[in-house]
């Protein structure tokens, strides 16, 4: 059925090209080649879309049972995951150089924390220097089937592009393994 639809579409475009350029057969051949290549490109893209999508934006994680998740390495070499924080999705980069779970101000507001009321009394040393932080407690934190309650985290008082998933969270797992471009977290 799909091939029939493509054939009908190709005939419609081809008929239009010939109707527009009745006297210029050279132009018709040129347009036909261009449109043929466009069709081949579209067919290839549709057929390979799953592979293209996984290459450009790897899947967030795969559950390997109730106590294990697998996170693919991104093209930039880092591991990214979307966690449910207080029931809302937040994108994290897994950062073994971070001590805690660190939220950007924007992500803190997204998960229901009142950022105007936070006390930025802590200090953290980062690659960009010393920043003030505000301690917070998260009601819930889940990656796939693995859920925790009452986790301690901090909100970054400086400029931070993305929230960080630090060692205090990774240490909650019995095993943290990197194998074949995948980060495997096991409880």
């Amino acid at each position: 059925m799909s091939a029939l639809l493509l054939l009908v579409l190709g005939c419609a475009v081809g008929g239009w090209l010939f109707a527009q350029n009745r006297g210029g057969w050279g132009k018709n051949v040129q347009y036909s080649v261009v449109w043929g290549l466009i069709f081949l490109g579209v067919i290839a893209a549709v057929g390979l879309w799953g592979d293209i999508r996984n290459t450009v934006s790897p899947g967030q994680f795969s559950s390997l049972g109730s106590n294990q998740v697998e996170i693919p390495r991104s093209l930039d070499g880092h591991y990214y995951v979307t966690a449910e924080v207080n029931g809302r999705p937040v994108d994290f980069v897994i950062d073994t150089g971070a001590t805690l779970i660190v939220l950007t101000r924007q992500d803190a507001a997204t998960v229901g924390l009142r950022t105007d009321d936070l006390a930025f009394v802590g200090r953290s040393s980062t690659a960009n220097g010393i920043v003030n932080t505000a301690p917070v407690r998260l009601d819930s934190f889940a990656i796939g089937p693995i859920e925790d309650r009452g986790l301690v985290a901090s909100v970054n008082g400086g400029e931070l592009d993305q929230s960080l998933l630090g060692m205090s969270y990774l240490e909650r797992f019995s095993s943290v393994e990197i194998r074949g471009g995948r980060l495997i977290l096991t409880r």
Side-chain angles (χ1 to χ4, degrees), residues 84-119:
E84 292 286 325
V85 181
N86 295 348
R88 308 228 181 195
V90 175
D91 294 328
F92 287 90
V93 62
I94 296 175
D95 186 354
T96 58
T99 304
L100 297 172
I101 296 170
V102 181
L103 297 171
T104 65
R105 283 184 190 234
Q106 181 179 356
D107 286 342
T110 298
V111 301
L113 301 173
R114 295 176 49 113
T115 57
D116 293 339
D117 296 341
L118 295 176

Short mmCIF file of all heavy atoms in Angstrom, two decimals, residues 84-119:
data_model
loop_
_atom_site.label_atom_id
_atom_site.label_comp_id
_atom_site.label_asym_id
_atom_site.label_seq_id
_atom_site.Cartn_x
_atom_site.Cartn_y
_atom_site.Cartn_z
N GLU A 84 12.31 11.55 37.40
CA GLU A 84 11.07 12.14 37.90
C GLU A 84 11.38 12.66 39.29
O GLU A 84 11.62 11.89 40.22
CB GLU A 84 9.96 11.09 37.97
CG GLU A 84 9.50 10.61 36.61
CD GLU A 84 8.65 11.63 35.87
OE1 GLU A 84 7.88 12.37 36.52
OE2 GLU A 84 8.77 11.69 34.64
N VAL A 85 11.38 13.98 39.43
CA VAL A 85 11.65 14.62 40.72
C VAL A 85 10.36 15.26 41.20
O VAL A 85 9.80 16.12 40.52
CB VAL A 85 12.78 15.67 40.60
CG1 VAL A 85 13.06 16.31 41.95
CG2 VAL A 85 14.03 15.06 40.01
N ASN A 86 9.89 14.81 42.35
CA ASN A 86 8.60 15.28 42.88
C ASN A 86 7.51 15.15 41.82
O ASN A 86 6.63 16.00 41.70
CB ASN A 86 8.70 16.72 43.38
CG ASN A 86 9.63 16.86 44.57
OD1 ASN A 86 10.05 15.87 45.16
ND2 ASN A 86 9.97 18.08 44.92
N GLY A 87 7.60 14.08 41.02
CA GLY A 87 6.59 13.80 40.00
C GLY A 87 6.76 14.56 38.70
O GLY A 87 5.91 14.46 37.81
N ARG A 88 7.84 15.32 38.54
CA ARG A 88 8.06 16.09 37.31
C ARG A 88 9.38 15.69 36.66
O ARG A 88 10.37 15.42 37.35
CB ARG A 88 8.11 17.58 37.63
CG ARG A 88 6.92 18.01 38.44
CD ARG A 88 6.34 19.19 37.88
NE ARG A 88 5.19 19.54 38.74
CZ ARG A 88 4.30 20.36 38.38
NH1 ARG A 88 4.36 20.91 37.22
NH2 ARG A 88 3.31 20.65 39.18
N PRO A 89 9.44 15.67 35.32
CA PRO A 89 10.67 15.27 34.65
C PRO A 89 11.74 16.36 34.72
O PRO A 89 11.46 17.54 34.52
CB PRO A 89 10.23 15.04 33.20
CG PRO A 89 9.00 15.87 33.04
CD PRO A 89 8.34 15.92 34.39
N VAL A 90 12.96 15.93 35.05
CA VAL A 90 14.12 16.83 35.10
C VAL A 90 15.28 16.13 34.41
O VAL A 90 15.58 14.97 34.69
CB VAL A 90 14.52 17.19 36.56
CG1 VAL A 90 15.79 18.02 36.59
CG2 VAL A 90 13.38 17.91 37.27
N ASP A 91 15.94 16.84 33.50
CA ASP A 91 17.11 16.30 32.79
C ASP A 91 18.36 16.49 33.63
O ASP A 91 18.62 17.59 34.11
CB ASP A 91 17.29 16.99 31.44
CG ASP A 91 16.14 16.70 30.48
OD1 ASP A 91 15.57 15.60 30.56
OD2 ASP A 91 15.82 17.58 29.66
N PHE A 92 19.14 15.41 33.78
CA PHE A 92 20.37 15.44 34.55
C PHE A 92 21.53 14.96 33.70
O PHE A 92 21.37 14.11 32.83
CB PHE A 92 20.28 14.49 35.75
CG PHE A 92 19.40 14.97 36.86
CD1 PHE A 92 18.06 14.64 36.89
CD2 PHE A 92 19.92 15.75 37.89
CE1 PHE A 92 17.24 15.07 37.91
CE2 PHE A 92 19.10 16.18 38.92
CZ PHE A 92 17.76 15.85 38.93
N VAL A 93 22.72 15.47 34.00
CA VAL A 93 23.95 14.87 33.51
C VAL A 93 24.55 14.15 34.71
O VAL A 93 24.54 14.69 35.83
CB VAL A 93 24.93 15.91 32.90
CG1 VAL A 93 25.39 16.94 33.92
CG2 VAL A 93 26.14 15.22 32.28
N ILE A 94 25.00 12.93 34.51
CA ILE A 94 25.60 12.18 35.60
C ILE A 94 27.02 12.69 35.77
O ILE A 94 27.81 12.67 34.83
CB ILE A 94 25.54 10.67 35.33
CG1 ILE A 94 24.06 10.25 35.29
CG2 ILE A 94 26.32 9.90 36.38
CD1 ILE A 94 23.80 8.83 34.92
N ASP A 95 27.32 13.18 36.98
CA ASP A 95 28.58 13.88 37.25
C ASP A 95 29.22 13.31 38.50
O ASP A 95 28.82 13.63 39.62
CB ASP A 95 28.29 15.38 37.42
CG ASP A 95 29.55 16.20 37.56
OD1 ASP A 95 30.65 15.63 37.65
OD2 ASP A 95 29.42 17.44 37.60
N THR A 96 30.25 12.48 38.31
CA THR A 96 30.94 11.89 39.46
C THR A 96 31.78 12.93 40.20
O THR A 96 32.26 12.66 41.29
CB THR A 96 31.84 10.72 39.01
OG1 THR A 96 32.78 11.19 38.05
CG2 THR A 96 31.01 9.58 38.44
N GLY A 97 31.94 14.11 39.64
CA GLY A 97 32.66 15.19 40.32
C GLY A 97 31.76 16.00 41.23
O GLY A 97 32.23 16.81 42.02
N ALA A 98 30.45 15.78 41.16
CA ALA A 98 29.51 16.48 42.02
C ALA A 98 29.24 15.62 43.26
O ALA A 98 29.07 14.42 43.16
CB ALA A 98 28.20 16.76 41.28
N THR A 99 29.20 16.25 44.41
CA THR A 99 28.96 15.53 45.65
C THR A 99 27.50 15.15 45.80
O THR A 99 27.17 14.03 46.18
CB THR A 99 29.39 16.39 46.86
OG1 THR A 99 30.76 16.76 46.68
CG2 THR A 99 29.23 15.63 48.16
N LEU A 100 26.61 16.07 45.49
CA LEU A 100 25.17 15.88 45.70
C LEU A 100 24.40 15.89 44.39
O LEU A 100 24.97 16.13 43.33
CB LEU A 100 24.62 17.01 46.58
CG LEU A 100 25.14 17.14 47.99
CD1 LEU A 100 24.62 18.43 48.61
CD2 LEU A 100 24.73 15.95 48.82
N ILE A 101 23.10 15.73 44.51
CA ILE A 101 22.19 16.05 43.42
C ILE A 101 22.10 17.57 43.43
O ILE A 101 21.79 18.17 44.47
CB ILE A 101 20.80 15.43 43.65
CG1 ILE A 101 20.88 13.90 43.66
CG2 ILE A 101 19.81 15.93 42.60
CD1 ILE A 101 19.61 13.22 44.12
N VAL A 102 22.38 18.20 42.31
CA VAL A 102 22.38 19.66 42.24
C VAL A 102 21.37 20.09 41.18
O VAL A 102 21.47 19.68 40.02
CB VAL A 102 23.78 20.22 41.87
CG1 VAL A 102 23.75 21.74 41.84
CG2 VAL A 102 24.83 19.72 42.85
N LEU A 103 20.41 20.89 41.59
CA LEU A 103 19.38 21.39 40.68
C LEU A 103 19.69 22.82 40.26
O LEU A 103 20.17 23.62 41.06
CB LEU A 103 18.01 21.38 41.36
CG LEU A 103 17.44 20.03 41.79
CD1 LEU A 103 16.20 20.23 42.64
CD2 LEU A 103 17.13 19.19 40.58
N THR A 104 19.38 23.11 39.01
CA THR A 104 19.42 24.51 38.59
C THR A 104 18.23 25.20 39.24
O THR A 104 17.27 24.55 39.69
CB THR A 104 19.30 24.64 37.06
OG1 THR A 104 17.99 24.17 36.66
CG2 THR A 104 20.38 23.87 36.32
N ARG A 105 18.26 26.52 39.30
CA ARG A 105 17.11 27.25 39.87
C ARG A 105 15.84 26.96 39.09
O ARG A 105 14.77 26.79 39.66
CB ARG A 105 17.38 28.75 39.86
CG ARG A 105 18.31 29.20 40.94
CD ARG A 105 18.42 30.71 40.88
NE ARG A 105 19.46 31.18 41.73
CZ ARG A 105 19.30 32.10 42.66
NH1 ARG A 105 18.12 32.65 42.85
NH2 ARG A 105 20.32 32.49 43.39
N GLN A 106 15.97 26.90 37.77
CA GLN A 106 14.80 26.65 36.93
C GLN A 106 14.21 25.26 37.20
O GLN A 106 12.99 25.11 37.34
CB GLN A 106 15.16 26.78 35.45
CG GLN A 106 13.99 26.55 34.53
CD GLN A 106 14.37 26.70 33.06
OE1 GLN A 106 15.48 27.05 32.72
NE2 GLN A 106 13.41 26.43 32.19
N ASP A 107 15.07 24.25 37.31
CA ASP A 107 14.58 22.90 37.61
C ASP A 107 13.99 22.83 39.01
O ASP A 107 13.00 22.13 39.24
CB ASP A 107 15.69 21.87 37.44
CG ASP A 107 16.03 21.60 35.98
OD1 ASP A 107 15.20 21.93 35.10
OD2 ASP A 107 17.13 21.06 35.72
N ALA A 108 14.57 23.56 39.96
CA ALA A 108 14.03 23.59 41.32
C ALA A 108 12.61 24.15 41.31
O ALA A 108 11.71 23.60 41.96
CB ALA A 108 14.93 24.42 42.23
N ALA A 109 12.40 25.20 40.55
CA ALA A 109 11.05 25.77 40.44
C ALA A 109 10.10 24.80 39.75
O ALA A 109 8.94 24.66 40.14
CB ALA A 109 11.10 27.10 39.69
N THR A 110 10.59 24.09 38.73
CA THR A 110 9.77 23.12 38.01
C THR A 110 9.25 22.02 38.92
O THR A 110 8.12 21.57 38.77
CB THR A 110 10.59 22.49 36.85
OG1 THR A 110 10.95 23.52 35.94
CG2 THR A 110 9.81 21.42 36.13
N VAL A 111 10.06 21.59 39.90
CA VAL A 111 9.65 20.49 40.78
C VAL A 111 8.91 20.99 42.01
O VAL A 111 8.63 20.22 42.93
CB VAL A 111 10.84 19.59 41.18
CG1 VAL A 111 11.50 19.02 39.94
CG2 VAL A 111 11.83 20.32 42.05
N GLY A 112 8.58 22.27 42.04
CA GLY A 112 7.73 22.80 43.11
C GLY A 112 8.46 23.43 44.27
O GLY A 112 7.83 23.75 45.28
N LEU A 113 9.76 23.64 44.17
CA LEU A 113 10.49 24.32 45.24
C LEU A 113 10.37 25.82 45.05
O LEU A 113 10.49 26.33 43.94
CB LEU A 113 11.96 23.90 45.25
CG LEU A 113 12.22 22.40 45.44
CD1 LEU A 113 13.69 22.10 45.27
CD2 LEU A 113 11.73 21.94 46.81
N ARG A 114 10.13 26.53 46.13
CA ARG A 114 9.99 28.00 46.06
C ARG A 114 11.39 28.60 46.10
O ARG A 114 11.95 28.78 47.19
CB ARG A 114 9.12 28.49 47.20
CG ARG A 114 7.69 27.97 47.08
CD ARG A 114 6.86 28.39 48.26
NE ARG A 114 7.00 29.81 48.52
CZ ARG A 114 6.03 30.70 48.38
NH1 ARG A 114 4.84 30.30 48.02
NH2 ARG A 114 6.25 31.97 48.64
N THR A 115 11.92 28.92 44.94
CA THR A 115 13.30 29.38 44.85
C THR A 115 13.53 30.73 45.52
O THR A 115 14.63 31.01 45.96
CB THR A 115 13.76 29.44 43.38
OG1 THR A 115 12.88 30.28 42.65
CG2 THR A 115 13.78 28.05 42.76
N ASP A 116 12.49 31.56 45.63
CA ASP A 116 12.65 32.86 46.29
C ASP A 116 12.83 32.70 47.80
O ASP A 116 13.38 33.58 48.46
CB ASP A 116 11.44 33.76 46.02
CG ASP A 116 11.35 34.17 44.56
OD1 ASP A 116 12.40 34.13 43.87
OD2 ASP A 116 10.25 34.53 44.10
N ASP A 117 12.37 31.58 48.35
CA ASP A 117 12.45 31.35 49.79
C ASP A 117 13.68 30.55 50.21
O ASP A 117 13.85 30.28 51.40
CB ASP A 117 11.19 30.59 50.26
CG ASP A 117 9.93 31.39 50.06
OD1 ASP A 117 10.01 32.63 49.90
OD2 ASP A 117 8.84 30.78 50.04
N LEU A 118 14.50 30.13 49.27
CA LEU A 118 15.65 29.30 49.59
C LEU A 118 16.75 30.12 50.27
O LEU A 118 16.98 31.28 49.94
CB LEU A 118 16.21 28.64 48.33
CG LEU A 118 15.30 27.64 47.64
CD1 LEU A 118 15.96 27.14 46.35
CD2 LEU A 118 14.97 26.48 48.56
N ALA A 119 17.45 29.48 51.21
CA ALA A 119 18.58 30.11 51.91
C ALA A 119 19.87 29.57 51.29
O ALA A 119 20.24 28.41 51.49
CB ALA A 119 18.52 29.79 53.39
#
